[in-house]
Amino acid sequence: MTSFSRYLSIDSDDEETDDIEVFQRPYHRYSLDLPGIVTREKPSQTGGVGPKLVVAMVGLPARGKSYIVKKLKRYLTWLQYETKVFNVGNLRRNTQLIKNELTPNNHSHLFFDPDNEYAKKVREQVAMDCLDELIDWLKRGGRVGIHDATNSTAARRKKILERCQREHSFKVLFIESICNDEEVLESNMRLKLLGPDYKNMDPEEALKDFRKRVTNYEKVYETINEEEEEKNNVQYCKLINVGKKIIAHNIKGYLSSQCIFYLMNLNLVERQIWLTRHGESTDNVIGRIGGDAPLSKSGRKYGACLSRFIYTQKKLFRQKQLEKYRGFSGSSTPLPEPPERNFLVWTSILKRTVETAENFDPKEFDIMHIRFLNEIYAGLCEEMTYQEIEKSYPEEYNARKNNKLYYRYPGMGGESYLDVIHRVNPLIIELERMTDNIMVITHRVVLRILLAYFLDVEKEKVPNMDVPLHTIYCLQPKPYGTELTKWKYDDDQDCFSQIE
Ligand code: F6P
């Protein structure tokens, strides 16, 4: 067995096999499932698509399910799995009701009373209709469908499993969010008031009604239990207090384990992620791609100004952190002053990023050089200009122009955008996991890919995003998405100004 086929056979129940069999067997038997990465010598006989995954959320309202769902969708889409969220709440809001005193509308707490038989029937129907829509979409080519609902009883979950089992090669992963951290719950409840059920109501009334809704759910809520493990052999993960504690059961397959690994690493801490390309290099000046050229004079000037600018931003962040702390600590028992957040600087291992970081003071910043941040490797085309590539390899030039995302440069080590996405994946996990502030100094393709993840850029747009030299992007992850500010370097004034 070659090392490659061994790598493909990481599913525990796969027996030993030789290379030929690896390519002839139905693809879904194998766990490794990376869009655009696994190169086949023979075309797949099964259409080449792995199993479909239904992710069904579980949990009481205000447990951060929608936050998890949004992030998971963004991550999977970025990894190039077609992913779509099916929100039961949206369907419920569009459902016509026979209204009466017990069921005045489809968002009051009365509608969620488990003793309200009519409303209960409607809610069950809406949840299953939403699942049908999801299944339909998966059959039409989707890969991961996320059922965003409370799915808070064992009976409901059984129905979901039974419905999905009627489909060939559909896997179900339940993700249950449990939260008893009062601070997080309170802020989730307040966020809920901005949502479609409550946005036109008096906030106090809305909060009262929402709390009653939660109480109604609590009356019947059952966490995923041992009986479901034994009888239904469910695949599930419980995330307790935003991933502080994780319980996983029966996790099978690459995609499910990727989801769980990702969710394990999320945190809600306020921080800043600064991104930029290296300063201008001598190759940039003459239009050569790849290589390992040093900075030009203008590039060195950019690097020096960048370190001064980020040092000021670091101090500003600390100042704000202390102001916030002082605002909170006016109480009788003052809290201890929070320590200053670490500030990391990551670069690739290529000269142009290392030199850009040269002026950062190692006493103030933790500086690391990481190969995963290197520019796309252009194989045979390294150190050529685009005009030279067009002249020497016209077919390659056009192939790339026609499908830049999937196109892999020819020659040993040549990469595609998809290859770079998967190379950068561990860094995304690390960026999600850590609570430090960070400055990432990298290259055009890697910067596009990092921005695409944080800003949820459509895959067709990623390879052509405009990311000029001498521009800084500041990302601040928030519960509802990522806040972006952009800064441009002015070479004449030798300073940055905010442009967005
Ligand atoms: O020109 C700078 C550069 O970073 C090259 O090293 C790299 O090959 C290129 O940009 C990537 O941009 P694109 O994918 O648009 O060709």
Side-chain angles (χ1 to χ4, degrees):
M1 187 192 267
T2 64
S3 57
F4 179 60
S5 62
R6 207 173 298 129
Y7 197 32
L8 274 173
S9 307
I10 53 179
D11 235 357
S12 54
D13 54 359
D14 275 339
E15 65 277 10
E16 290 255 314
T17 179
D18 62 43
D19 286 0
I20 300 298
E21 270 184 325
V22 164
F23 293 108
Q24 285 178 346
R25 279 181 169 178
Y27 185 56
H28 67 255
R29 278 188 53 94
Y30 302 100
S31 196
L32 187 68
D33 178 9
L34 302 170
I37 300 296
V38 177
T39 308
R40 291 195 184 79
E41 287 169 10
K42 291 182 182 174
S44 162
Q45 294 164 17
T46 59
V49 176
K52 311 276 181 175
L53 184 64
V54 177
V55 175
M57 298 305 296
V58 176
L60 291 167
R63 264 56 187 178
K65 293 188 298 300
S66 295
Y67 167 77
I68 294 172
V69 160
K70 257 197 236 150
K71 290 209 78 147
L72 194 59
K73 185 211 168 238
R74 175 151 65 84
Y75 177 62
L76 293 173
T77 306
W78 177 78
L79 284 174
Q80 311 299 312
Y81 301 98
E82 287 291 328
T83 303
K84 191 167 169 186
V85 178
F86 294 81
N87 183 285
V88 175
N90 289 343
L91 207 60
R92 162 178 58 80
R93 276 180 283 277
N94 292 327
T95 303
Q96 294 296 322
L97 292 179
I98 307 168
K99 293 181 189 169
N100 57 36
E101 262 170 48
L102 287 179
T103 316
N105 56 44
N106 55 23
H107 61 263
S108 131
H109 69 277
L110 295 168
F111 183 71
F112 300 92
D113 184 341
D115 296 326
N116 180 343
E117 286 302 327
Y118 168 62
K120 196 170 142 193
K121 218 164 140 197
V122 175
R123 283 191 289 117
E124 283 305 306
Q125 189 58 48
V126 170
M128 295 320 280
D129 288 350
C130 189
L131 182 64
D132 281 338
E133 268 183 32
L134 180 157
I135 288 173
D136 215 53
W137 177 80
L138 286 180
K139 284 177 163 169
R140 282 185 280 113
R143 265 316 287 287
V144 184
I146 307 182
H147 194 247
D148 186 6
T150 56
N151 296 324
S152 55
T153 63
R156 163 79 71 79
R157 295 190 288 271
K158 189 162 175 257
K159 272 205 230 164
I160 292 178
L161 272 180
E162 282 169 356
R163 175 65 191 88
C164 294
Q165 277 158 2
R166 299 213 307 261
E167 305 299 330
H168 174 66
S169 143
F170 273 35
K171 286 188 176 176
V172 181
L173 167 66
F174 288 107
I175 297 180
E176 178 169 357
S177 179
I178 299 172
C179 179
N180 45 32
D181 177 325
E182 286 304 325
E183 213 178 296
V184 176
L185 280 179
E186 203 50 40
S187 103
N188 285 352
M189 294 239 187
R190 304 227 164 245
L191 269 181
K192 201 82 185 177
L193 304 188
L194 307 173
D197 279 342
Y198 295 109
K199 66 172 185 258
N200 297 321
M201 262 171 93
D202 165 60
E204 282 312 307
E205 281 304 305
L207 194 60
K208 249 198 240 161
D209 184 80
F210 185 60
R211 288 192 201 282
K212 284 189 193 161
R213 183 197 293 196
V214 176
T215 311
N216 274 337
Y217 269 102
E218 278 167 347
K219 289 181 197 160
V220 286
Y221 169 56
E222 298 162 290
T223 183
I224 301 173
N225 58 47
E226 279 176 13
E227 198 178 326
E228 292 175 83
E229 275 180 18
E230 279 162 28
K231 273 200 189 152
N232 308 333
N233 201 21
V234 289
Q235 169 178 232
Y236 74 81
C237 165
K238 290 189 191 190
L239 292 168
I240 302 160
N241 289 334
V242 205
K244 253 195 193 148
K245 181 171 167 184
I246 310 259
I247 300 168
H249 177 259
N250 202 20
I251 303 303
K252 284 192 177 141
Y254 182 81
L255 204 45
S256 295
S257 31
Q258 282 293 296
C259 293
I260 288 159
F261 185 53
Y262 174 72
L263 295 175
M264 272 171 72
N265 286 289
L266 301 184
N267 76 73
L268 297 173
V269 172
E270 265 186 42
R271 66 228 157 89
Q272 295 183 328
I273 299 169
W274 295 87
L275 306 173
T276 185
R277 289 172 67 186
H278 51 81
E280 180 193 71
S281 73
T282 53
D283 270 353
N284 288 141
V285 177
I286 50 176
R288 269 199 207 145
I289 66 164
D292 193 14
L295 293 184
S296 69
K297 190 168 164 229
S298 155
R300 286 199 300 277
K301 200 170 148 200
Y302 174 73
C305 189
L306 178 71
S307 65
R308 291 195 300 273
F309 175 77
I310 293 296
Y311 181 72
T312 311
Q313 294 298 326
K314 180 177 184 271
K315 294 286 153 214
L316 271 176
F317 186 90
R318 175 64 176 161
Q319 206 178 311
K320 281 192 193 145
Q321 190 191 15
L322 288 177
E323 276 165 18
K324 208 168 163 190
Y325 153 78
R326 281 176 200 131
F328 279 135
S329 68
S331 62
S332 46
T333 42
L335 300 163
E337 191 173 286
E340 183 171 3
R341 202 67 56 73
N342 255 358
F343 207 120
L344 311 183
V345 176
W346 286 357
T347 80
S348 74
I349 59 169
L350 296 170
K351 265 188 215 127
R352 51 198 188 275
T353 62
V354 174
E355 288 180 3
T356 307
E358 236 162 42
N359 294 289
F360 282 84
D361 180 352
K363 288 200 275 320
E364 293 282 343
F365 299 93
D366 263 347
I367 304 166
M368 275 178 248
H369 309 297
I370 305 173
R371 199 177 57 85
F372 285 174
L373 286 171
N374 278 9
E375 182 53 308
I376 192 169
Y377 190 71
L380 281 181
C381 302
E382 275 286 299
E383 295 185 63
M384 293 172 83
T385 65
Y386 290 115
Q387 290 79 359
E388 286 165 352
I389 299 172
E390 188 177 11
K391 206 162 154 222
S392 311
Y393 307 110
E395 279 175 15
E396 295 295 333
Y397 182 84
N398 286 323
R400 184 163 202 262
K401 211 163 118 193
N402 293 335
N403 194 349
K404 209 168 160 189
L405 187 68
Y406 283 78
Y407 172 85
R408 180 178 284 143
Y409 276 110
M412 185 66 94
E415 288 182 303
S416 66
Y417 268 76
L418 285 182
D419 292 327
V420 180
I421 288 175
H422 288 278
R423 152 151 77 80
V424 167
N425 186 17
L427 299 183
I428 288 292
I429 301 285
E430 187 57 13
L431 287 171
E432 286 291 0
R433 188 200 61 76
M434 67 196 199
T435 52
D436 301 329
N437 288 334
I438 186 166
M439 166 88 251
V440 182
I441 304 173
T442 182
H443 304 261
R444 178 146 70 179
V445 174
V446 177
L447 181 58
R448 281 178 178 147
I449 284 171
L450 291 174
L451 285 172
Y453 167 74
F454 284 105
L455 304 177
D456 207 4
V457 178
E458 286 164 49
K459 71 173 180 187
E460 293 73 22
K461 293 192 178 151
V462 178
N464 297 309
M465 282 165 70
D466 185 29
V467 286
L469 285 171
H470 299 187
T471 308
I472 319 179
Y473 301 80
C474 176
L475 305 169
Q476 304 196 68
K478 303 276 174 191
Y480 44 81
T482 310
E483 257 178 37
L484 166 75
T485 46
K486 226 164 132 180
W487 307 74
K488 183 107 200 100
Y489 176 60
D490 180 330
D491 195 271
D492 294 334
Q493 305 285 323
D494 193 23
C495 69
F496 285 91
S497 48
Q498 192 172 339
I499 49 172
E500 256 175 51

